[in-house]
Amino acid sequence: GGGAGAGMRAQGLWALLAALRAGWCLLPQAGYLHPDEFFQSPEVMAGDILNLQVYYPWEFLSSSPCRTVVFPLMTSGVTYWVIKSLQQLDICSSCINSYTLLVSPRLLFTIFSFILDYSVYRLAPFWEADPWKALVLLAGSYVTLVFYTRTFTNTLEGLLFALLMVLVSSRKSAGSPPEPTSSPLIGIVTTAGFFNRPTFLAFALMPLLYWAGFIVGSQKSIKTVINHFLKLVLCACFTAIVFITADTFYFTSVSLDDLCSIKESSLFDVIAQVNDRIIVTPLNFLRYNLNPHNLALHGSHPRVTHFAVNGIMLFGTLHILAICAGFKMFKKYAHQLIWVKSSYRRSSGLLVRSEGNPTLLLFYFVPLAFLSLFSHQEPRFLIPLILPLVLFSTTQNRAMKWKPIIVIFNVLGALLFGCLHQGGLIPCLFHLEQLMHSPEPSNHPRHYTLLFAHTYMPPRSLLNIKKRDVHVQVIDLAGSEEETLCQTVEERANNFTCSGSHVFVIIPGTVRATIMNCAVSVKNETLIFPHLSMEDPPQIPFLFSGNWRKQLGLYILQVDRDQ
């Protein structure tokens, strides 16, 4: 009875955590993890599909196309097209607002995130893990709650990695060969993953080797082996052609009319014309990122950052347990290789199912090692590894002893990244959007200048301003020095003499004092709480004083000329 009761409890807990994931997405989640969550999908699509004023990142300019447009179109693009259609059909008059612009793409990603849960459920029996314990560990991780509900390419990478693991592990029973369907699908998923983020090859390496080993080991005739590999390669090529065609049309905007209008010239001329401009985004991405000078622009980290810092920051105890188990197994195999003469026959058992754990550890550490070869190491690059890690942690009940620590760790992680981290910026954009869309008291059109200082890049799309509107100007001062900041603010404040112009400065409480040194006066201020900026952290003594809220807040200051 105890086992069944625990199983029921685990199922109930998983359902609660799944509801939290969906509910928190709708609330919405205020934390802002990294500019890429906006600028590599929703922001670009808001500009293309909804004609809003946005900031196009360099990767999406036709002069330097480094990111495929297929996934943004299939995710944010589809959700924006839906809300646009609803508005055009008069189903709702104001379908497009900062809330729907933020939440609709995230909601789609949150729905997709359950692919991860499905994969754990399918894979757990195969790797001899407890399915419901694994699901609770997955759904309770702040990585799932916070990162997998955001519009990152890394999130898609994690979902494609999960699908690939399901495809290579799927067997009806221990004896029967793998389903014939898997090889074409493996080809499609691997190529799609590569176009989404070329680093996907690091994640795909172990699953593909595992699959190849299994195919070669289980098939009697060489003909079936070749057949499997051919299917995979053909489907991979076909998928690549789809991506290349879509990207080429998007980035060069060769319309079908252009192609049809070249009637008099031969087909070869047409092909030559397009061929000049064929765009393979992952190759451009690799060309850019394999240049160490370029990577350094985005920040250089020591090679051990993923192992020593990011792994612990994302997965806590689970990462440490995996490292310890890895060392133990490494010692065991080294010992066998040295002492046991027959070890050649035995060590090939590394990829055999009876020793499920070492293989799962390889699924975790091989991608980690490959990603560690690059000097630019951000925590979110590791989020796809949650799947093998959760499965490994629930084999032999490894994680259960650490339950209280794991719970505290994930609650803190969810609060830090889901609520606090740059948490004022999105509510601030919501506030400004409402302010600018409120009905005008006079006939004079109002003019707004929004200066963002010491915050992450503000996603302009959330302000919901049409491209043809010229009455709003957004200036991103990023981490400018006091001098530049004052100069810009004073210039803007003195430029406007008419009554209809408003200048707002958006700045964290920790650096608010810099504005006081400028030659402007503040006539209105709004404090948005909480907001934690790691770049300008609050001083610890202030947090214990009376004005700790100001230290952990984001200010919207309306400035006036100094009389």
Side-chain angles (χ1 to χ4, degrees):
M8 286 296 289
R9 269 205 307 278
Q11 289 176 21
L13 192 50
W14 175 81
L16 262 173
L17 289 163
L20 172 66
R21 194 187 318 175
W24 200 11
C25 165
L26 293 168
L27 255 179
Q29 220 180 88
Y32 176 175
L33 298 173
H34 190 280
D36 284 3
E37 68 178 285
F38 295 103
F39 293 95
Q40 285 179 1
S41 180
E43 182 87 353
V44 177
M45 290 298 117
D48 289 349
I49 290 170
L50 302 175
N51 262 327
L52 296 179
Q53 268 186 41
V54 297
Y55 173 82
Y56 282 100
W58 64 271
E59 299 106 316
F60 282 97
L61 301 177
S62 46
S63 52
S64 55
C66 280
R67 298 247 171 227
T68 182
V69 77
V70 174
F71 283 110
L73 277 171
M74 278 165 56
T75 53
S76 309
V78 168
T79 56
Y80 285 165
W81 178 80
V82 168
I83 57 174
K84 182 183 178 176
S85 307
L86 288 175
Q87 184 150 316
Q88 284 171 341
L89 296 168
D90 271 342
I91 292 171
C92 65
S93 54
S94 58
C95 278
I96 301 171
N97 54 53
S98 50
Y99 176 81
T100 53
L101 288 166
L102 175 78
V103 171
S104 61
R106 280 191 183 178
L107 187 59
L108 187 65
F109 271 72
T110 303
I111 293 166
F112 283 159
S113 75
F114 286 94
I115 292 174
L116 215 54
D117 302 69
Y118 166 77
S119 305
V120 165
Y121 188 74
R122 279 284 308 272
L123 289 164
F126 182 80
W127 295 104
E128 290 160 359
D130 179 320
W132 285 104
K133 277 182 185 160
L135 278 171
V136 167
L137 208 50
L138 172 80
S141 165
Y142 86 86
V143 173
T144 311
L145 288 168
V146 176
F147 283 85
Y148 275 93
T149 55
R150 305 296 180 94
T151 46
F152 281 119
T153 51
N154 309 84
T155 303
L156 293 171
E157 185 170 45
L159 301 177
L160 290 166
F161 178 52
L163 289 174
L164 193 59
M165 279 196 56
V166 169
L167 291 171
V168 301
S169 311
S170 61
R171 261 184 282 168
K172 290 279 196 311
S173 65
S176 66
E179 296 103 78
T181 54
S182 62
S183 17
L185 287 174
I186 289 169
I188 293 168
V189 170
T190 306
T191 313
F194 175 67
F195 273 84
N196 174 50
R197 286 184 75 82
T199 51
F200 187 69
L201 295 182
F203 295 98
L205 179 67
M206 275 308 298
L208 290 175
L209 283 177
Y210 184 83
W211 174 81
F214 183 72
I215 292 284
V216 172
S218 65
Q219 301 297 339
K220 300 292 170 278
S221 72
I222 188 82
K223 199 171 139 194
T224 31
V225 172
I226 291 171
N227 187 11
H228 273 293
F229 280 95
L230 268 178
K231 273 187 200 160
L232 186 145
V233 171
L234 282 171
C235 287
C237 291
F238 175 73
T239 311
I241 290 168
V242 171
F243 275 87
I244 291 167
T245 310
D247 287 339
T248 302
F249 274 106
Y250 177 83
F251 285 109
T252 58
S253 48
V254 180
S255 65
L256 289 170
D257 305 343
D258 293 353
L259 295 182
C260 301
S261 67
I262 324 180
K263 286 198 185 75
E264 58 279 2
S265 53
S266 69
L267 181 64
F268 291 109
D269 290 350
V270 177
I271 292 169
Q273 268 214 316
V274 175
N275 195 23
D276 271 350
R277 297 189 285 182
I278 275 186
I279 283 171
V280 188
T281 46
L283 295 185
N284 297 342
F285 177 91
L286 287 169
R287 196 176 300 139
Y288 177 87
N289 279 306
L290 291 173
N291 178 342
H293 170 71
N294 289 342
L295 268 189
L297 296 174
H298 298 266
S300 267
H301 307 97
R303 294 287 192 274
V304 295
T305 308
H306 278 327
F307 266 103
V309 182
N310 297 343
I312 296 172
M313 198 167 120
L314 291 175
F315 307 122
T317 326
L318 302 187
H319 178 71
I320 299 166
L321 288 176
I323 290 179
C324 298
F327 269 121
K328 264 188 208 152
M329 277 170 197
F330 183 74
K331 272 184 5 199
K332 192 175 115 187
Y333 280 106
H335 179 90
Q336 278 190 356
L337 283 172
I338 296 162
W339 293 107
V340 186
K341 288 287 173 279
S342 61
S343 66
Y344 287 102
R345 287 197 294 282
R346 232 178 262 186
S347 63
S348 64
L350 189 65
L351 290 177
V352 172
R353 174 156 182 243
S354 61
E355 273 283 17
N357 296 338
T359 319
L360 271 179
L361 273 181
L362 287 173
F363 277 102
Y364 183 71
F365 284 117
V366 169
L368 195 64
F370 271 103
L371 292 172
S372 298
L373 296 174
F374 297 98
S375 63
H376 183 55
Q377 303 193 1
E378 290 182 38
R380 65 197 164 94
F381 296 171
L382 300 184
I383 65 170
L385 295 176
I386 191 167
L387 179 69
L389 188 57
V390 157
L391 290 170
F392 178 76
S393 305
T394 35
T395 54
Q396 300 170 11
N397 253 346
R398 281 168 218 281
M400 292 320 279
K401 293 193 280 261
W402 304 94
K403 209 194 289 184
I405 296 177
I406 291 172
V407 170
I408 294 165
F409 171 80
N410 285 305
V411 168
L412 291 177
L415 286 175
L416 175 63
F417 291 106
C419 299
L420 283 172
H421 187 258
Q422 294 284 328
L425 196 57
I426 288 167
C428 157
L429 292 166
F430 277 27
H431 176 84
L432 291 168
E433 186 242 11
Q434 284 182 328
L435 188 85
M436 294 189 298
H437 287 78
S438 57
E440 310 198 357
S442 63
N443 306 334
H444 296 299
R446 293 174 293 182
H447 190 287
Y448 293 93
T449 305
L450 310 176
L451 291 143
F452 289 85
H454 293 264
T455 65
Y456 273 11
M457 279 166 71
R460 323 276 198 277
S461 57
L462 296 185
L463 293 167
N464 190 18
I465 300 150
K466 288 273 180 259
K467 279 183 181 164
R468 56 172 186 274
D469 284 355
V470 286
H471 70 280
V472 179
Q473 188 186 13
V474 175
I475 302 168
D476 183 8
L477 291 169
S480 306
E481 293 303 310
E482 187 175 328
E483 210 178 324
T484 324
L485 181 63
C486 281
Q487 197 184 343
T488 318
V489 174
E490 287 159 18
E491 254 170 41
R492 299 294 154 190
N494 294 323
N495 265 1
F496 296 129
T497 43
C498 59
S499 58
S501 61
H502 304 281
V503 181
F504 291 96
V505 179
I506 293 89
I507 193 161
T510 46
V511 279
R512 178 177 187 255
T514 50
I515 286 289
M516 298 309 145
N517 304 339
C518 306
V520 291
S521 58
V522 174
K523 63 174 179 185
N524 251 327
E525 56 178 71
T526 311
L527 175 67
I528 292 178
F529 174 88
H531 178 90
L532 172 67
S533 167
M534 302 284 200
E535 287 68 32
D536 303 283
Q539 281 96 30
I540 302 296
F542 281 116
L543 287 179
F544 295 105
S545 67
N547 55 2
W548 61 276
R549 279 179 71 93
K550 294 178 180 169
Q551 287 282 307
L552 279 178
L554 182 68
Y555 278 94
I556 304 175
L557 306 173
Q558 186 172 2
V559 297
D560 225 354
R561 278 179 304 168
D562 228 358
Q563 294 346 337

